[in-house]
Amino acid sequence: MIDVQGYAALDPSKPLAPFSFQRRTPGERDVQIEILFCGVCHSDLHTARNEWHNTLYPSVPGHEIVGRVTAIGQAVTNFKVGDIAGVGCLVDSCRHCASCGEGLEQYCEKGFTGTYNGPVFGGENTFGGYSDSIVVDEKYVLRIKHPDNLAAVAPLLCAGITTYSPLRQWKVGPGQKVGVVGLGGLGHMAVKIAKAMGAHVVLFTTSPDKKEDALRLGAAEVVISKNKEEMAAHASSLDFILNTVAAPHDLDALLALLKRDATMTLVGAPATPHPSPSVFNLIFKRRRLAGSLIGGIAETQEMLDFCAEHGIVADIEMIRMQDINEAYERMLKSDVKYRFVIDMATLQQR
Ligand code: NAP
Ligand code: ZN
Ligand code: ZN
C-alpha cells in the first residue's frame, strides 16, 4: 500500500482538514501519479457537504487532476515514468455494458466508479485529487498535450469535458447562436469551447460585474438574465442553450429564448429539487429540455486535444490546500474567476 496525504471532510458540517490514508500499490495496468494540481469543482462542495445525500465519509474530493507519472505496472503501454497525465471524474466502469462498449463510461449501466465518492451504490469509497498521489488503471488516465500552464489545464478534466460533450452532442458550430447560462467554472469553459467551435456565443449571467470578462473570454453578447427587456430581445432566437447554473432557477425565461425544435441542456446539478418549467413553452415550439453528464474517456481525450490545439485553458485562481474552505464559501457567492486550482505543493504547509 502507498501512504497518501490529503484533505477530507469527515462529516457534512465540518470544514475539510488534513487526512492520511492509503492507496493500492500499482497493479499490472495501473499508473501512479504524483498530483501537481487539482481544480475545485462545485460538485466537490456538493459532495463534501452531502448536498446530494449520497456522500461516503471520510470524503476526499477532487476530480480535475493533473500530475506526473511516478510508477507504472508491468502491462502499462500508454504511459511511462515522468509523463504528465490527467485524471477526471471517473476511474473505472463495468467495461462490458452497451454504454461502456460505446465509450460512454459515464452512463455505464452498472454505475461507473467516481474518482471520489466511488461506487455510490455500494462497495468501497474512493478518494479524489485533494491529495498528493493517486493510482488509476491506465484505461482511465488521460494524456496531456498542453506544453505548459498545467495548473490551468486541470479544470478541463471536469469543467472542460462537461461542457464539450453536450456542445458536440448537439452539434454546435458556425452559423449558430448558442447561449451559455452562468459564468462559473463550467460556464467559462463553455464560452471558450463554443467560440472555438465557431458559434456566436451569448452569455446569460446574474452577475453584472462579469460582463467585461465574458466578452474577453469569447462571448459575442452578454445578457443580464434578471433584466426582462434584455431577455426579450433574444426571444425564440437561440439554436442551443447550455445551462450550468448550480441552483434552482426559472427555466421558463430561458426556454422562451430557444428557436423551434431547439434544445436547452442542463448540466448544473442543484442540491434541492428543481421546479419544473411550464409545459406551454415546450409544446408551442417543439422545444426540448435535456441533461448531460460529464463525458467518456475517449471524448475527454478528444476535448483535451481540441483544447491543446486551440490554446484553450481555464482562467484560474491558484489557492493553497489550506484555503479550500474559504474557497468553498466564495464559490457559494459566485465569487470565482473562474476556477480555483489547488497547488498541491502546498499540502505540507501549515
Ligand atoms: P460554479 O463555478 O459555482 O458556477 C455556477 C454559476 O451558476 C455561478 O457562477 C453563477 O453564474 C450561476 N449561479 C449560481 N447560483 C445561481 C442562481 N441562484 N441563479 C442563477 N444563476 C446562479 O459551479 P460549477 O463548478 O461551474 O458547477 C455548476 C454546476 O454543475 C454544479 O451544480 C455542479 O455540481 C454541476 N456539475 C455537473 C456536471 C455534470 O456532469 N452534469 C459536472 C460538473 C459539475 P453567474 O454569476 O454568471 O450568474
Ligand atoms: Zn466536477
Ligand atoms: Zn458499463
Side-chain angles (χ1 to χ4, degrees):
M1 300 294 268
I2 296 165
D3 291 324
V4 183
Q5 303 294 322
Y7 256 59
L10 298 181
D11 77 46
S13 58
K14 289 211 186 73
L16 275 73
F19 175 67
S20 302
F21 60 100
Q22 292 193 311
R23 298 195 188 273
R24 65 176 184 263
T25 308
E28 273 205 321
R29 298 184 191 284
D30 283 338
V31 175
Q32 184 180 341
I33 298 165
E34 174 200 359
I35 299 177
L36 300 173
F37 302 105
C38 185
V40 179
C41 179
H42 207 114
S43 302
D44 301 353
L45 188 163
H46 289 308
T47 303
R49 299 187 178 179
N50 198 22
E51 291 181 353
W52 292 329
H53 309 288
N54 64 8
T55 304
L56 304 167
Y57 291 97
S59 174
V60 179
H63 58 201
E64 295 183 336
I65 298 167
V66 169
R68 186 178 292 113
V69 175
T70 52
I72 55 169
Q74 284 170 353
V76 168
T77 54
N78 292 329
F79 294 90
K80 58 182 190 321
V81 170
D83 282 354
I84 297 298
V87 178
C89 304
L90 57 93
V91 290
D92 208 350
S93 63
C94 89
R95 308 176 189 211
H96 301 295
C97 72
S99 296
C100 284
E102 287 178 60
L104 298 168
E105 297 90 353
Q106 75 275 34
Y107 302 117
C108 174
E109 277 122 64
K110 300 266 166 64
F112 65 85
T113 305
T115 303
Y116 60 81
N117 210 36
V120 291
F121 303 108
E124 281 183 26
N125 199 359
T126 49
F127 296 133
Y130 296 5
S131 60
D132 57 18
S133 73
I134 192 164
V135 177
V136 181
D137 186 314
E138 70 164 334
K139 195 173 155 59
Y140 298 84
V141 180
L142 288 309
R143 304 198 71 84
I144 306 291
K145 294 179 188 154
H146 288 75
D148 49 27
N149 208 0
L150 294 178
V153 172
L156 301 182
L157 275 305
C158 175
I161 183 59
T162 301
T163 51
Y164 180 91
S165 183
L167 290 169
R168 271 276 180 264
Q169 174 68 22
W170 277 275
K171 300 186 170 45
V172 162
Q176 290 185 357
K177 185 173 161 187
V178 170
V180 172
V181 189
L183 196 66
L186 267 54
H188 96 291
M189 290 313 310
V191 169
K192 290 185 185 206
I193 293 171
K195 164 99 189 293
M197 289 174 174
H200 176 98
V201 180
V202 185
L203 187 272
F204 296 87
T205 179
T206 59
S207 309
D209 61 320
K210 292 182 184 173
K211 192 166 182 176
E212 292 307 313
D213 282 347
L215 295 170
R216 176 178 56 78
L217 292 167
E221 301 176 65
V222 180
V223 173
I224 308 305
S225 51
K226 290 169 185 161
N227 182 322
K228 288 206 165 76
E229 279 169 24
E230 280 188 42
M231 292 289 276
H234 292 274
S236 303
S237 72
L238 288 156
D239 295 283
F240 179 67
I241 298 177
L242 185 59
N243 186 332
T244 73
V245 172
H249 60 292
D250 179 13
L251 296 178
D252 288 317
L254 296 163
L255 285 167
L257 306 179
L258 291 172
K259 280 181 178 168
R260 173 175 52 76
D261 289 322
T263 300
M264 174 159 79
T265 298
L266 307 177
V267 288
T272 49
H274 202 290
S276 289
S278 153
V279 172
F280 288 94
N281 257 331
L282 296 170
I283 60 182
F284 271 87
K285 288 204 184 299
R286 205 161 54 189
R287 294 173 175 126
R288 298 158 200 209
L289 182 61
S292 182
L293 179 67
I294 50 174
I297 295 298
E299 195 174 46
T300 304
Q301 190 63 62
E302 181 187 307
M303 173 279 307
L304 284 166
D305 297 350
F306 176 91
C307 288
E309 198 179 307
H310 288 84
I312 295 175
V313 292
D315 280 34
I316 64 162
E317 180 177 338
M318 193 98 88
I319 61 167
R320 301 180 314 142
M321 186 71 254
Q322 294 75 5
D323 298 333
I324 188 65
N325 297 300
E326 189 194 331
Y328 280 3
E329 292 309 314
R330 285 184 52 194
M331 190 181 251
L332 286 173
K333 289 187 252 168
S334 297
D335 175 25
V336 191
K337 300 216 163 125
Y338 279 89
R339 197 61 143 185
F340 292 121
V341 172
I342 304 161
D343 178 359
M344 218 43 77
T346 63
L347 189 57
Q348 303 303 338
Q349 292 179 7
R350 303 230 157 242

